[in-house]
Structure formats: C-alpha cells, structure tokens
Amino acid sequence: MSKKLFLLDAFALIYRAHFALIQRPIFTSKGVNTSALYGFTQTLLQILNEQKPTHIAVVFDTDAPTQRHKDFADYKSQRQAMPEDLSAAIPHVRRMIEAFNITSIECDGCEADDIIGTLVKVAEKEGFTSYMVTPDKDFGQLVTERTFLYKPSRMGDGIEIMGVKEILARWGIERTEQVTDILGLMGDTSDNIPGVPGIGEKTASKLIAQFGSVENLLARSGELKGKIKDNVEANRDIALLSKRLATILCDSPVSLDIEKLKLRERNDEAIKTLCVEFEFNTLGRRLYGDEFKAGRGFSTAPEPKSKTAELDFDKPAEAQVATDLKSLKDIAHDYRVVPPAETSVVFKNLLEKKRFSFALECSNPDPKQTCITGLTFALEPHKAVFLELPKDEDSRKALLNKFTSLLGDASLEVIGHDLKRALGALRWSGVCVNATLFDTMLAHSLLEPDMRHSLQYLAEACLGYSPMAAAAPGELNLSAPEQTRERAMEEADLALQLHDVLRPQLKEKQQEKVFYEIEAKLIPALVEMEYEGIRVDAKALGEFGEQLGREILKGEKEIYEMAGGEFNLNSPKQLGEVLFERLKLVEKAKKTKTGQYATNEQVLQELADAHPVVQKILYYRGATKLKSTYVDTLPGAIWLKSGRIHTSFRQTDTSTGRLASDNPNLQNIPIRTEQGREIRKAFVARDEGYRLMSADYSQIELRIIAALGKETGLIEAFQQNLDIHTATAARVFGVFLDLVTPEMRRKAKMVNYGIAYGISAFGLAQRLGIPRKEAAEIIEHYFKQFPGVRRYMSETIEFAREHGYVETVTGRRRYMRDIRSSNATVRSGAERNAINAPIQGTAADMIKIAMGNIHREICQRGLKTRILLTVHDELVFDLYQPEEAEMRIVVEDKMRNAIALEVPIVVEIGVGQNWLEAH
C-alpha cells in the first residue's frame, strides 16, 4: 500500500474558511461564530473521506518571531489583528483536530510553511507521496514528482491538485523552485514582501523565463531596457532580500518521526460532543445517522446559507462528507401516478382534507415560458399523487380550470416550498389563487433569516433527509418521466413534512403575525406584479445611451487633461497612483489591505473639494455604471412576447425584510441624479388608455423614528404638517421657523436622516464639510431637543444586548450576533444595525401590508389598474385612467393605514406618461 502524507497549513485554511463566510457568518443559537470551525472541519472530512491518507498532520504558526522578521523588520507588519471571532475559534479548531486524533505540529521561530517544507523533503526520501494542503501559491516552489500542492475546493470549483506540470504551466517556468524568483521580483502584499517596484506577476514570469533566476537577472541587467532596467538596478538588494523572504526553508529544527503521523482512529464521542456544542446537526447526522439525532435530542439549528471556502452549497450541506442521511429508498412511501380519469376523485379528496401540499412538473424553470406537464399533491407525510396533464391544449386548460376553482377556495390551506415560483407558472397558464398559503421557504426565512432556505437544505437540516434533487450529476436521469414525477411528488411530500416542523416554531418565536398577515398574503400580489411586468421604451433608452456615451468620452478627455496624461480610469491601482503620487492630493493616503491606494466612492467624496478632477471622476463612474447596469442591459430584458420587463421579486434576500428584485434588478435605479431620472423616463404606461401612477411614503423612516421614540417634538411637527427639516433646524439652532437659513436646514436634514444609521460626529462632519467639534455640538443639541430619539436608541441597544435581536412594530426579528462583542468597532456596527433595523424593517412591513391589501382590493372591485413595481417606499401602478379617482382613494387609504403609528402618515401620489413624470 502506497504511503500518502497530507500536511494541512492550519492558519491559511482557518482564515480562508472564516472570510469565505464574512458576509453571512454561521452562528449558533447562542451567538457563537462557527464559520472557521465549520469550514476547516469540512476540509478535513473531505480529505479523510475522499483522499484516504495514510498519514496526516496539521501545522500551526506561532507568535514567536522568525528569521524573516530579523532580516526584514516590516515582514507581515501590515497585517491587521486577527478578528475577534476568528481568534476565539482557534482553540475549538484545535479541539476538533484532537477529536479526530490527528497530530498538531508547531515550532517557535519556524513558520508553518517551513515546517511543511522540511517534512515533505524527509517524506520524499522515505517513499511517501505528500500533499501540502493550502491555498498559498508560495508552496508551488516545493512541488516535485512526489510532492503536490492540494488546494481545497472553493465556491463549488472542486479541489485542485497541482504537480510539476501544473506549476510550470501556471508560472511559465522550467523548474518549480523558480517560483521563489518570481515572488522575489513581484513581491507579496499578503506578507509585505516588497519586490521590485513596477514589476508584476506577468513581467516577473517573463524575466525569470528569460534569465532563469534573480541572480542571473541582476548580473545581466544591462540587457534590460527602459523603466524596468532602472527599477531592477535601483533595487538589487531588495530583489535578493525579497527572494530570500519568499523562499520556504526545508531545514527547520523539527525532529519528528513521520511514521508517528499515521492516521489513527477518531474519537467519536469527542466529535459528537463538538457537533452538539456548535450545533453542527446535519454534519452529526451524516457521520452518525439517527443515533445522533434521536439519542441526544439535538436542536435543528441550521447550517449556513452561504458557501464556505470548502463546499459548494448549491449542493446540500455536507454532501461531500458522507452518505448517512436518509433518502427516498430508505423510507417507506406511497407515491402514485393517477390517470386523468381519476382527476375528480383527487380534487374531491383535496377539498375534504382542507389542507394539502402541492408542487408542479414543468418544462422550463422560467414561469413565462414553461408548460405545466403535471400536478402533484401530498395529503399525508410520505404519501403523494401525481396527476399528469393531457398533452392536448384544450384538455389541459380544462383540467387547469378545475384546479383554479379548487385554489379559489379561501377555506383551503395550500402548502408548498417557494410558492411564488409555482403560482407564477400557474398564473401564466391562467390559474389564480385565493386559498390560504403556507410557504415553507418564507417560514424558515423568518425563523432563521441569515441561513439558507432551499428545499434540499431544509430537508437535511430539519428532517435528516437528502432529497432526489441533491443527487450527483449522472445519478438521476431527469429526462425519464417516472423520475421527474417522483421528484415532484417528493417535493410536495417534503413541503408537507416541513410545514409540520416549522409551524410550531413560528408560534414559539412569535413570528405568526409577520408570516400570515404580511409575507403569505403578499405572495399573490407579487405573482401578479411579475406577470404584469412594466413597459419600457427601448428606443428612448437607446437614444439616452448614445448621449451618455458621448458624455463619458468627453469626461475621459477632461480627466486626462487635468491629470496630466492618459491612464486606465477603471484601474483602482492606476487611479490611486495618479491622485496620490502624481497630483499628491493628500500627504498620507488611505490604503487597502493589499497595499493599493483606496479610491472607493467614500474616499473620493471626501476629496471632492481637493481637486476638480475628483468631481469629474465621480461623474464618470456614475455615468459608466448607469450605462452598463441599466441603459445597455434593460432593452435586453424586454420579453418579446409581451414587450415588457418582468422582474422577479425576492422575499427572503434581505435581513431587514425589504424586497429585492433581479432579472433585472430595478431596486437601485437612482432618482437623485439627472442621469438616473432619465432612466425613469423610459418606463412608460401600457397604452393610450393608461398612465403610470406613483405612490410614495413621505419621510417614512423619520416618522417611524418619531413613533418608536414617542418623540413629541417630531410628532407635533408632523401633526402640524411643518417642513420637518426646517422645524428640526429651528429647535436645534434655537431660532424661529422663519429665520431658519438654507444652510441650517441642510445640516438638520443630514442629522435627521443620519440618526437612523447611528451617525457620529466624525461622519456628520465629513458629510457637511464642517469641523468635528461643530458636528458634535449639533448632534448634542439635537438630542437635547428630541430626547425621545436618544431614549429609543439606548433602549433598543439594551434590548438587543439582552435578547440578541431587535424587532419591528409587527414583530419581525433581526438577530444581532455581534452586539456583545468586545471589539469596539464590531460592536458599534452591530449597535448601528440594531438602531436601524426596527426603523427600516417597519417601513418594509408597511409597504408589504399595503401592497397585499391594495392587490386584494383591486381584485374584489374588478378594476383594470395593476400594481407593477415596488422600489423601497414607492409603489408604481399601470393606472387605467377612468379609475384614477377611485385608485387614489384606495391607495392612500391602504398605505396610510397599513400599520397604526402615533404619527400621521403621508402618501404622495403622482400620475404621468412615464415613471419620472409620475414620481
């Protein structure tokens, strides 16, 4: 048997796992961040199960300085302190390694790279095939015919094992050890290895391919030309130092018999304990089956919504770990295909039960273009029937009409997973729904808003079951009718089982009101909005695109003239060099983690007054983004059969409850800029008999702040219908209303809108361009005049600290995992989110309630007007002109009274030929 040694670069893998989930970390029910532990464990299990090592070890760095630090004081000096959550995870990673009975290795004065380098050289002499498990490119220098670089899978791209051939091709070199020469020339920002200025990876590869080594390059530098020659000759010592720093040492003082790294039997009890402690329930069930689930009564806290560094989460969690979850073949079930002749019997049973789950078999995932080929229903767990629709168009319509009458019964409860998708397909086939809806995807999104909500994932996490959809490619022939039918029946069956698990949890977490009165009632409105779409004038967009293109070219020329020469405007690196080295806008410019100058919008806004070129760059960026994101792409989103854009609305994509849209995204079309307003002009009414109507909540978040804080000063101003920013300025600056200047109003407006986001004196000073002391005084005067706002903020933060979440007026929860963090920056961010979430979430709930109510009113009255879009606090309608007076009354009533607040709600309604005119 061949000997296979796997050496894991601990910190490289742990960091990778942590930051792969930085946008959506994994937390336990107690608020412990387990991203790093989870991701590292996945990599470990993947290696153990798939690669079958005979020997294995995990190698750690220590805090002790190394020879590299002595040679170069700035080595790794730019690295920020380890994040608090990551630091806390390290001991648990060590516990997991110990539970698997795997050796950990570390040595003061030696980096993990050097320990691994030393061990693979020893292993090679002893006949081992070695694998260095790390994402670090530097290890390419150690690759030989017996030693390989093993990169774990990331974002579903699979593992990558690189041998000599792959390393040589990757770097364009003749020998793997030349990787150190390339790194010496190009440097390494992650380790702060300087390299030779002006030489990047491509140039370094070409030079080493030509000269063979850094030493030969320096000896023959006279053969070089231009700036490269100047840079190389001026940085001879730096080039040699950088190569030395990048060279992995293979003579570390690690005295270890490699045979002692032989794979040993794992400690199952210790692993089970860790799975319980960190709520890795799916992982536990995969490793230990039902014994894990039933034997200890574990909770079903789900695992991550995002993809880790190691796994493709488009597949079910831990699909690459084991195969112990139950599947259809393991469970007794009764799935039957019903002939068309028994349709009436099926529908009769559904009516009698008053509750059923359903799913569709469709020819296309796009509801607009699909043909429904089958209906499937589940009345009891593990029992389902499949009703094939006739191929004849008239017969199919006749059967769907029967289904329409069934779904029109408000006394029925219809269950499903992602019901909007299914109901959308039905709507394009002429079927509308009036039954009570229970969507398991939406239910779970309220219970665990930061997790995944796919059917495959929920089946694994909540039922210990792996559905057919999770099968690996090639294991399931989806073209076979009996298999697609079985999968549709399984989907309906699983939705029914999940309903029985999730419904009690909605009650336990007090989410029933949000679920039944907001989210479930919104589904039919969204289905109809997606079906209706909105008309867009492609010709007008094209003309505007040409105009915008001319403005962009003109702006480019002006920027080059101001900057003293041409450069790549879309390169942050080159832009930073122009602004901070050529134009020298500031003495100490901000830099990113990679060492480049920061040139994001916030940085440029701060520099807007430093040089005229900055304003030009901001305009250029806005114009190019607008053109590429909307002007050039919206015409392609028009569906030819309807001549309209049919966007898709997402109810589960945001933690605040706001809706999102895609295909295309219409949520972020700017309104404050002249260019953004031009885009809205292209959205037009259906035809001559229609106009677009816009209904927008006025200053809704400020009104909600006033209500939540019971702030009488703000409430009185709103009750008197005063200009709220003028009224605020009058109180903050201690003057009469008619003495408020435009500048005072501007400052008060910034505080009013910034307060919901926890604006600081520093932030206010930056936005207003005033000294920080003045900004602090304005904020302090604001809180003195409006003490209810400060009280709301402090009480909300305290509530979040005590309970771990905050709530909207309706009870929607947002969990604040970092609210007790000892890291002040992290904690402050959580506190700002805690303040804002009830405000923004209540506004989201209001417009959702209003949409659902307006849609039902339109249906009950038989009106021709339709809701088309929702963008934050605004609704857009295709208004049938004879219905304008009636619709104004309906819309204002439903929007104003969506949620009762102790402050007047104002709805601004406009009508026009296009969206801009109406807004």
Side-chain angles (χ1 to χ4, degrees), residues 74-234:
D74 289 335
Y75 180 66
K76 294 187 177 181
S77 63
Q78 90 295 351
R79 290 194 175 182
Q80 297 180 348
M82 185 182 292
E84 182 182 5
D85 282 354
L86 182 53
S87 178
I90 301 299
H92 304 311
V93 172
R94 289 182 180 274
R95 289 170 59 199
M96 186 66 79
I97 295 167
E98 185 178 348
F100 275 91
N101 213 0
I102 292 172
T103 300
S104 294
I105 305 173
E106 59 188 61
C107 178
D108 281 347
C110 297
E111 292 190 43
D113 306 33
D114 302 324
I115 296 173
I116 291 174
T118 301
L119 291 176
V120 295
K121 292 302 179 185
V122 173
E124 192 167 309
K125 293 177 183 177
E126 297 184 15
F128 281 82
T129 300
S130 301
Y131 295 85
M132 304 172 290
V133 184
T134 178
D136 191 343
K137 62 183 182 296
D138 298 16
F139 281 86
Q141 65 190 270
L142 298 176
V143 170
T144 68
E145 296 299 330
R146 300 297 300 270
T147 300
F148 296 85
L149 177 57
Y150 180 105
K151 293 186 176 182
S153 63
R154 180 180 177 88
M155 302 304 182
D157 57 3
I159 63 169
E160 184 179 11
I161 298 177
M162 302 183 75
V164 173
K165 180 181 176 181
E166 290 78 15
I167 294 296
L168 299 185
R170 159 71 176 81
W171 295 97
I173 51 181
E174 295 181 350
R175 305 181 311 278
T176 58
E177 57 264 29
Q178 289 175 309
V179 169
T180 58
D181 294 281
I182 293 175
L183 293 172
L185 290 178
M186 64 180 277
D188 188 342
T189 55
S190 65
D191 289 340
N192 208 32
I193 297 175
V196 176
I199 295 183
E201 181 179 329
K202 289 183 179 180
T203 303
S205 296
K206 288 179 181 178
L207 291 173
I208 297 305
Q210 179 180 351
F211 294 98
S213 69
V214 169
E215 289 80 3
N216 285 344
L217 170 66
L218 296 177
R220 297 163 55 190
S221 62
E223 299 175 30
L224 300 174
K225 295 180 181 179
K227 195 171 183 180
I228 290 180
K229 177 182 179 181
D230 295 339
N231 286 345
V232 168
E233 293 185 340

Side-chain angles (χ1 to χ4, degrees), residues 732-748:
V732 169
F733 294 104
V735 299
F736 292 111
L737 283 170
D738 56 357
L739 295 179
V740 172
T741 66
E743 180 63 14
M744 289 177 180
R745 185 184 183 279
R746 184 177 78 91
K747 292 176 179 178

Side-chain angles (χ1 to χ4, degrees), residues 192-309:
N192 208 32
I193 297 175
V196 176
I199 295 183
E201 181 179 329
K202 289 183 179 180
T203 303
S205 296
K206 288 179 181 178
L207 291 173
I208 297 305
Q210 179 180 351
F211 294 98
S213 69
V214 169
E215 289 80 3
N216 285 344
L217 170 66
L218 296 177
R220 297 163 55 190
S221 62
E223 299 175 30
L224 300 174
K225 295 180 181 179
K227 195 171 183 180
I228 290 180
K229 177 182 179 181
D230 295 339
N231 286 345
V232 168
E233 293 185 340
N235 293 277
R236 288 174 174 273
D237 292 341
I238 289 177
L240 292 169
L241 170 65
S242 295
K243 178 178 177 178
R244 192 162 68 250
L245 294 173
T247 300
I248 295 176
L249 305 177
C250 297
D251 56 355
S252 299
V254 181
S255 56
L256 183 70
D257 181 356
I258 291 182
E259 283 300 330
K260 291 184 179 179
L261 304 183
K262 195 169 184 177
L263 184 66
R264 300 188 291 270
E265 187 175 343
R266 69 194 186 199
N267 183 340
D268 284 328
E269 284 306 310
I271 294 172
K272 288 179 184 178
T273 299
L274 288 166
C275 286
V276 174
E277 180 179 348
F278 297 106
E279 300 173 8
F280 293 165
N281 301 297
T282 309
L283 187 152
R285 284 194 294 274
R286 279 197 172 277
L287 288 175
Y288 305 109
D290 286 340
E291 171 201 348
F292 180 85
K293 180 180 178 183
R296 296 174 182 265
F298 302 144
S299 67
T300 56
E303 277 144 31
K305 180 175 184 178
S306 309
K307 298 176 180 179
T308 70

Side-chain angles (χ1 to χ4, degrees), residues 534-538 540-541 644 669-671 674-695 868-869 874-879 881 888 909-919:
I534 187 167
R535 185 179 165 205
V536 175
D537 186 341
L541 274 179
R644 299 166 75 82
I669 297 178
I671 186 60
E674 183 179 343
Q675 295 169 338
R677 289 192 285 273
E678 285 294 323
I679 298 288
R680 293 196 174 204
K681 281 174 68 174
F683 289 78
V684 295
R686 183 182 301 270
D687 55 39
E688 286 302 315
Y690 285 79
R691 294 288 183 272
L692 286 189
M693 181 171 80
S694 166
L868 304 183
L869 293 178
E874 178 184 10
L875 296 179
V876 181
F877 299 79
D878 241 341
L879 174 70
Q881 289 190 76
R888 281 179 176 270
I909 298 176
V911 174
Q913 294 279 4
N914 59 61
W915 190 2
L916 181 62
E917 258 185 47
H919 185 77

